[in-house]
Amino acid sequence: MVPANTDEMMSFLNEGDEVATAGKPAWRVLIVDDEPDVHQATELALSGVLIEGRTVNFVHAYSAQEARTRLAEHDDLAVMLLDVVMETPDAGLQLVRYVREELGNHALRVILRTGQPGYAPEIDTIRNYDINDYKTKSELTRVRLFTSLTVAVRSYWQIHQLEANRRGLEMIVAASTDLSRPKGLRRFAEGIVTQLCALLSVPDEGVVCAAASPDETQNEAHPYILAAAGRYSEWIGLSLKSIPDPRVRIELEKSLSDRCHHFGQTTRLYFSAPGGISIAAFVDVDHQLSAIDLELLELFCSNIAVAFDNIVLLRRISDLAYEDSLLRLPNRNSFVARVDLRSAESDTLALIDIDGFADINSVLDQEFGDAVLKAVAQRLRQSFSPAVDVARIGSDVFGVLGPHGEVNATGIESVFSTPYEVAGEKLRLSATTGLLRLGDGPEKAVELLKNASVALKQAKSFNRGKALYFEAAHAASARARMQLLNRLRLAFSAERLFLVYQPLVELASGRVVGAEALLRWRTEQGDFIPPDTFIPLAEQSGLMVPIGDWVARSALQFQRQLADCGHAGLRMAVNVSHIQLREPDFVDKLAAAIHEFGTPPGMLEIELTESVAIDNIELIEQKLAAVRSAGIAISIDDFGTGYSSLNIVRQLNVDRLKIDRTFISGKESCEGDFSIAGIVLQLAAQLGLKTIAEGIETEEQRQRVLALGCTDGQGYLFAKPLACDEFIAYLQND
Ligand code: C2E
Ligand code: MG
Ligand code: MG
């Protein structure tokens, strides 16, 4: 085994060699012997030797017991020179058993030494405990000791590398199920680096890779640690600037700035990967890496860098799926998930809808609308504690989820109690809210949201600007409305809607001067459903526009028919919903119908309710100007029941006020009190507006309003709303 000229093969550390071994860890050798002389002799014999270019560092233990402590202190012991007989005749063998069986350390090589040849262990023991070598102490001359140690160190290193390979492979396999996540990818990178280190014969900390991807602005790159292993594995993902080892950091930074390989005392490599990614690798070897090693590293680094980039992209996509990009709030998807997660009995769910947002958006511009939403989002976020979830779940609908104590009517109303500042403008906003106490309904988030939105709809119809809690009755009435709406749709398409006409009369003479077209719905069963019930439904569903178009055309057609049979000069009043007025082509459609039926100018009068006027005055003003220039007259219906001031009426430039029937035949007037009607008529006269009083049921009422200056009237005293042929007959009797 031992070469002839052993001195030639032994190499020693000369003074100049310090540089060569710098940075490389020494082999650690544990001497276990109860005779201090043996320690000294061994150390002396091996002083300054180099094995595979690395020095030897000794650790000493003077009993088997002490050896256990040393073993616990060092996890990188390569070889143990072990005395057999110490505290007990087989203390050494027991220690080997402990190392293999209890510590599970199979890499440490063991060279047994004994003073007495008689204590040679059995062959079986040597095999079972994986003992490398057995020598009597006298056999351990300097040369023999060196030879034994070299063989042991090499085999330790092989076992160590195999284990590193196995560990690396294990990590790769474990990570392979989870490569789409940062954690999985990190473990994968660590596994590969562990294997690479084994392949390159360097410690786990011997390879560190960094990458710099250009960011969205394509200028500033922020290098980060792409892959590392061993103790350095915790650096993966950290920014290069922040890693605590200046040597590695500086090498990597140099590589990224020089953009080329460098082979010196350590090796730094530079690769460029697809997508403009730059990669630097620090490899703790002083020799030129083989072309295959280089290729392997490059392939690995660029693949892993692209994978990291993909993960960043994936995360951005998933953020988009769960975040509202305008308001940077969670979106509906994410809110539903939150509700599912935390639907606790102590929580309340609120849906907050900004009143009149559609107008803000259309009258001002969308940019202003966005600014309003941002201001509300910010106020909502600030008004509630972090325990409360705030999300945007519709264009102008916010979802809020949190404890009853915070999420309640007062809490939400206070969010809108002070004016907002939007684009330098002071703006008063109001919102309508549907509230739902969790725990007293279905458990699924989608159901809970549905119930909260039933409460919201209910509030929008009857409690605008307020908050309303969900009640089961709401759901029932919402269902009933839904069914009614479906029936209305069917009725409209089956032409079961029809018009009746109520005469408009000149109060002084009793002469018929026109008609108001009133809509009727008779169901298949023959019941009548009042317009006050089904018109709001049509307005909420978008059905109002086609129905309204049909009403106007039918009324004009009837007016034409009347003119053709000798009753020309009758004006036709048609009710128009604010929903119709919002349509961009509203005036064009009416003008086309007027043209088609040859309606004389001023003989079509549209009746608008006062609520139209308060919506947003500038837009309405423009609309009505267009209506007038198409030769259509405008009347304000149900005047006196709404909020419009006469100022607004003047601004809108309407033709006629129609005094609501509650001031004529309703309870306001039952004691003969016509004071409101009187005031309205006086003001109308001052403004030069025409008038009509509706709901005239008695002769006395006719005389009273006539005396107050009203010219026209309508009511059961003259006629109820009549079918077409009845209306013609009525005219003939007139
Ligand atoms: P309105 O425009 O104020 O119509 C007058 C209502 O008063 C009609 O009720 C009419 O039948 C009723 N009326 C007439 N004379 C008297 C009377 O002497 N005493 C009493 N107590 N009532 C009288 P109707 O037909 O039920 O219509 C109710 C409302 O439905 C209308 O109020 C109008 O706002 C709306 N409406 C009816 N047809 C249409 C339509 O085609 N389009 C739109 N948008 N709304 C319509
Ligand atoms: Mg009317
Ligand atoms: Mg009316």
Side-chain angles (χ1 to χ4, degrees), residues 78-300:
V79 181
M80 174 158 72
L81 294 167
L82 177 62
D83 192 10
V84 179
V85 184
M86 287 176 292
E87 296 100 313
T88 58
D90 67 345
L93 289 179
Q94 287 306 325
L95 184 63
V96 183
R97 189 197 57 75
Y98 168 78
V99 167
R100 299 290 186 237
E101 288 176 5
E102 290 187 39
L103 294 185
N105 182 341
H106 299 284
L108 178 66
R109 299 295 83 205
V110 178
I111 298 172
L112 274 184
R113 300 194 295 183
T114 177
Q116 299 101 318
Y119 280 97
E122 300 287 325
I123 289 288
D124 275 357
T125 314
I126 291 183
R127 195 185 300 129
N128 288 348
Y129 292 153
D130 186 20
I131 292 169
N132 274 60
D133 215 345
Y134 170 78
K135 293 277 182 311
T136 60
K137 288 184 188 173
S138 58
E139 269 182 292
L140 289 175
T141 63
R142 177 176 163 81
V143 173
R144 285 210 178 146
L145 199 52
F146 174 76
T147 317
S148 288
L149 199 59
T150 303
V151 172
V153 161
R154 279 187 187 144
S155 89
Y156 159 77
W157 189 238
Q158 275 171 2
I159 295 170
H160 175 274
Q161 298 303 77
L162 274 174
E163 283 198 343
N165 259 317
R166 183 187 49 74
R167 263 186 296 128
L169 196 62
E170 250 173 34
M171 282 187 254
I172 293 166
V173 171
S176 62
T177 55
D178 205 15
L179 286 179
S180 60
R181 264 184 258 216
K183 210 171 127 209
L185 198 58
R186 255 181 232 144
R187 270 205 311 206
F188 181 78
E190 184 187 349
I192 302 244
V193 172
T194 308
Q195 283 214 319
L196 275 173
C197 290
L199 215 68
L200 300 174
S201 259
V202 296
D204 284 351
E205 287 76 21
V207 174
V208 181
C209 310
S213 313
D215 73 358
E216 281 152 56
T217 55
Q218 297 287 322
N219 41 43
E220 187 104 12
H222 299 283
Y224 63 97
I225 300 295
L226 187 65
R231 282 175 290 133
Y232 291 174
S233 65
E234 55 196 50
W235 295 353
I236 300 177
L238 290 188
S239 86
L240 177 56
K241 276 203 304 274
S242 67
I243 65 166
D245 186 325
R247 187 172 79 115
V248 178
R249 193 188 65 227
I250 290 165
E251 293 284 332
L252 287 170
E253 281 170 351
K254 258 199 202 132
S255 173
L256 285 172
S257 64
D258 296 354
R259 302 177 148 255
C260 59
H261 296 330
H262 167 92
F263 304 95
Q265 276 169 42
T266 55
T267 298
R268 37 175 208 266
L269 306 171
Y270 174 83
F271 312 113
S272 64
I277 303 170
S278 296
I279 291 164
F282 159 86
V283 186
D284 206 354
V285 288
D286 55 6
H287 55 270
Q288 176 94 33
L289 294 175
S290 74
I292 292 178
D293 289 344
L294 272 178
E295 222 171 279
L296 199 65
L297 250 170
E298 173 164 16
L299 197 65
F300 157 68

Side-chain angles (χ1 to χ4, degrees), residues 241-496:
K241 276 203 304 274
S242 67
I243 65 166
D245 186 325
R247 187 172 79 115
V248 178
R249 193 188 65 227
I250 290 165
E251 293 284 332
L252 287 170
E253 281 170 351
K254 258 199 202 132
S255 173
L256 285 172
S257 64
D258 296 354
R259 302 177 148 255
C260 59
H261 296 330
H262 167 92
F263 304 95
Q265 276 169 42
T266 55
T267 298
R268 37 175 208 266
L269 306 171
Y270 174 83
F271 312 113
S272 64
I277 303 170
S278 296
I279 291 164
F282 159 86
V283 186
D284 206 354
V285 288
D286 55 6
H287 55 270
Q288 176 94 33
L289 294 175
S290 74
I292 292 178
D293 289 344
L294 272 178
E295 222 171 279
L296 199 65
L297 250 170
E298 173 164 16
L299 197 65
F300 157 68
C301 285
S302 43
N303 284 349
I304 213 97
V306 169
F308 266 112
D309 264 17
N310 285 344
I311 283 180
V312 170
L313 216 67
L314 209 70
R315 201 184 298 171
R316 212 168 295 155
I317 290 168
S318 92
D319 279 354
L320 281 182
Y322 283 96
E323 193 185 76
D324 181 82
S325 52
L326 174 69
L327 304 184
R328 300 248 154 241
L329 281 184
N331 64 11
R332 189 175 202 282
N333 289 343
S334 139
F335 191 65
V336 167
R338 289 298 301 157
V339 175
D340 259 334
L341 260 180
R342 65 175 281 181
S343 44
E345 278 187 31
S346 54
D347 280 342
T348 289
L349 170 63
L351 298 184
I352 303 173
D353 185 315
I354 302 171
D355 296 332
F357 183 74
D359 295 334
I360 295 178
N361 239 358
S362 61
V363 178
L364 303 158
D365 56 18
Q366 194 161 343
E367 219 170 291
F368 189 81
D370 288 352
V372 168
L373 290 174
K374 280 182 189 160
V376 173
Q378 193 186 13
R379 188 76 81 75
L380 280 170
R381 211 33 296 175
Q382 284 165 355
S383 305
F384 297 105
S385 73
V388 174
D389 286 307
V390 176
R392 182 193 191 190
I393 64 169
S395 73
D396 63 335
V397 182
F398 292 88
V400 175
L401 176 69
H404 300 325
E406 277 195 78
V407 183
N408 51 42
T410 347
I412 290 164
E413 270 155 26
S414 74
V415 173
F416 296 93
S417 61
T418 53
Y420 281 76
E421 178 118 3
V422 181
E425 307 254 353
K426 272 220 165 12
L427 191 68
R428 232 171 222 296
L429 291 175
S430 80
T432 306
T433 305
L435 291 160
L436 174 72
R437 279 196 192 82
L438 300 191
D440 50 282
E443 296 301 311
K444 277 234 157 294
V446 191
E447 292 292 310
L448 295 171
L449 275 168
K450 210 198 238 164
N451 284 349
S453 68
V454 165
L456 175 61
K457 276 217 181 99
Q458 192 80 5
K460 288 206 97 161
S461 311
F462 307 108
N463 285 64
R464 226 177 145 80
K466 297 256 153 41
L468 193 74
Y469 278 92
F470 170 80
E471 284 163 29
H474 296 162
S477 81
R479 253 196 313 280
R481 278 209 309 277
M482 211 53 213
Q483 284 165 357
L484 195 65
L485 177 62
N486 282 333
R487 288 172 57 200
L488 175 62
R489 242 188 216 115
L490 284 175
F492 181 51
S493 57
E495 298 179 5
R496 281 201 299 275

Side-chain angles (χ1 to χ4, degrees), residues 516 575 607 637 658:
E516 179 180 7
N575 294 286
E607 293 191 4
D637 202 353
K658 191 166 186 181

